[in-house]
Amino acid sequence: MYRLMIVDDSNVIRRKVARSQNNERFQVVGSASNGKKAVEGLDVWQPDVVTMDLTMPEMDGLDCISELVSRKPDIRILVVSALKDKATGIQALQLGARGFLCKPFTEDDLSRALEEVMDDSHE
């Protein structure tokens, strides 16, 4: 079972991800409303995988990705964002994210994207 941390400033999105992904493959261990809280929760929750919004107050997703990867290089991050800006998506991947899912999304979209992030082979 993989430990999942949800990072999004939208309570609706955090609940949607938690509802759809608390199952036999993923256990939601924590959620954060911004990047700063996610970094603070990293040692507490010990996630294997993170869903990450990009546009958040206090610390945005790009800075958070960089910080999480520097602290835990094997962490797997799926960006879940309404931003359709390719440059920002590419930057997130360069910083260490393993995948990108555009909002709005279905539960199936999210499940598929998380499976791809967990099954990717570039260790």
Side-chain angles (χ1 to χ4, degrees):
M1 177 171 289
Y2 295 109
R3 298 167 61 83
L4 173 64
M5 177 170 66
I6 304 161
V7 185
D8 199 298
D9 60 336
S10 166
N11 196 29
V12 171
I13 296 294
R14 289 195 312 271
R15 283 197 313 261
K16 179 178 180 177
V17 173
R19 260 196 328 270
S20 72
Q21 295 309 309
N22 224 352
N23 55 41
E24 66 283 342
R25 183 125 157 107
F26 296 98
Q27 174 190 10
V28 177
V29 293
S31 69
S33 58
N34 62 54
K36 185 172 181 242
K37 290 180 181 174
V39 170
E40 291 168 358
L42 182 66
D43 291 333
V44 177
W45 298 318
Q46 294 290 310
D48 304 303
V49 61
V50 177
T51 60
M52 176 73 62
D53 190 15
L54 291 180
T55 308
M56 298 178 290
E58 290 192 60
M59 179 188 282
D60 70 16
L62 292 176
D63 289 339
C64 187
I65 290 167
S66 183
E67 187 65 29
L68 293 180
V69 169
S70 75
R71 291 174 184 230
K72 187 175 179 182
D74 62 338
I75 198 161
R76 293 169 183 260
I77 300 172
L78 173 65
V79 173
V80 180
S81 178
L83 278 182
K84 293 190 171 54
D85 172 28
K86 278 192 175 148
T88 305
I90 290 168
Q91 188 177 359
L93 294 170
Q94 289 170 336
L95 289 170
R98 305 279 183 104
F100 195 97
L101 178 64
C102 285
K103 293 177 187 174
F105 57 87
T106 66
E107 288 185 16
D108 285 345
D109 293 337
L110 180 61
S111 293
R112 265 193 307 277
L114 278 169
E115 290 297 327
E116 287 173 15
V117 164
M118 296 318 297
D119 295 337
D120 83 3
S121 59
H122 68 274
E123 295 289 314

